[in-house]
Amino acid sequence: MYKLFLKRVLDFSLSLIGFILLFPIFIIIVLCLTIANNGKPFFIQKRPGYKGVIFNIIKFKTMNDKKDKAGNLLPDGARLTRVGKFIRKTSLDEIPQLLNVIKGDMSLIGPRPLLTAYLPLYNDFQKQRHLVRPGITGWAQINGRNAISWNQKFEYDVWYVKNYNFFLDLKILFLTFKKVFVREGISQDGEATMEVFKGNS
């Protein structure tokens, strides 16, 4: 019942309520990032969702578009703005994804949607992460977020796919709020977020 029906009902209801409650903060952040990012408050990118179907994820834009002399984007750490750093540390950059959940592209809880460029790099085990809708938060996020290795992340993602239920989702939601307050695992050592996935060696 939960997997077939109730999870989606809760996703839609809670996301709609959450977005309405957070709307004043949403507007303030939009105004701040519009100034900080030269009129570009949102970051929109194609990501693979349920069964690998591509959708447009929406987040707040925490990095500018500064490039080097050759026209290449500077490293993430060099492009992270001051206001963007605060928004990322407090996880406020995730608020727009509530719209993705309302649309049905995502779930509140599930494996995080990664880059489409990673799709050809997954082995059969890792591909199982796409057997459920991707989430704003998930089992990997409360067990290290960006501070864990890719292998660990995939292990957590696939474990979730095989074991999720109402009580597990409730636990993940509770622990996510705890993680946000203590600001753990936001980045990997030496990286502004997490290193690029290069496939399986």
Side-chain angles (χ1 to χ4, degrees):
M1 175 68 81
Y2 180 70
K3 293 183 178 182
L4 295 176
F5 175 72
L6 188 57
K7 182 175 173 70
R8 175 60 192 149
V9 171
L10 289 175
D11 278 340
F12 179 84
S13 303
L14 294 177
S15 297
L16 183 59
I17 293 170
F19 188 77
I20 292 172
L21 293 176
L22 293 170
F23 190 70
I25 297 175
F26 179 88
I27 294 299
I28 292 172
I29 295 175
V30 167
L31 293 175
C32 291
L33 290 179
T34 296
I35 296 171
N37 296 329
N38 299 315
K40 298 177 181 179
F42 298 110
F43 172 79
I44 299 174
Q45 189 178 57
K46 294 188 180 301
R47 297 286 177 92
Y50 177 55
K51 294 186 177 179
V53 175
I54 306 300
F55 71 97
N56 290 316
I57 193 172
I58 179 170
K59 299 178 68 173
F60 281 128
K61 188 176 176 66
T62 57
M63 293 184 286
N64 58 41
D65 297 317
K66 290 184 178 180
K67 300 179 181 179
D68 58 24
K69 294 180 180 179
N72 300 311
L73 287 172
L74 294 174
D76 289 356
R79 294 188 294 118
L80 191 61
T81 62
R82 183 176 299 179
V83 64
K85 188 174 183 179
F86 169 78
I87 290 171
R88 180 169 289 184
K89 277 188 174 182
T90 53
S91 295
L92 293 172
D93 59 320
E94 312 288 358
I95 291 176
Q97 288 172 74
L98 290 173
L99 297 175
N100 285 120
V101 178
I102 292 170
K103 284 178 58 184
D105 297 325
M106 296 178 62
S107 173
L108 287 173
I109 314 294
R112 286 292 297 159
L114 302 176
L115 299 177
T116 55
Y118 295 167
L119 287 174
L121 304 178
Y122 297 147
N123 59 34
D124 289 340
F125 175 79
Q126 295 162 348
K127 288 177 182 177
Q128 294 180 79
R129 70 190 313 277
H130 295 300
L131 295 178
V132 297
R133 283 187 178 92
I136 293 178
T137 185
W139 190 237
Q141 277 58 53
I142 65 166
N143 283 289
R145 199 173 174 179
N146 288 327
I148 60 178
S149 70
W150 279 110
N151 283 337
Q152 288 175 307
K153 184 185 292 287
F154 289 129
E155 289 282 349
Y156 285 133
D157 286 346
V158 175
W159 184 89
Y160 173 82
V161 169
K162 294 180 178 180
N163 295 278
Y164 78 95
N165 55 57
F166 173 75
F167 295 104
L168 178 60
D169 279 358
L170 196 63
K171 176 181 179 179
I172 292 172
L173 198 60
F174 172 77
L175 292 176
T176 294
F177 285 116
K178 179 182 177 182
K179 287 280 184 180
V180 169
F181 281 115
V182 299
R183 302 179 185 180
E184 292 179 349
I186 294 171
S187 61
Q188 202 169 49
D189 290 343
E191 302 287 340
T193 53
M194 187 167 183
E195 66 177 350
V196 173
F197 177 58
K198 299 176 182 177
N200 305 282
S201 56

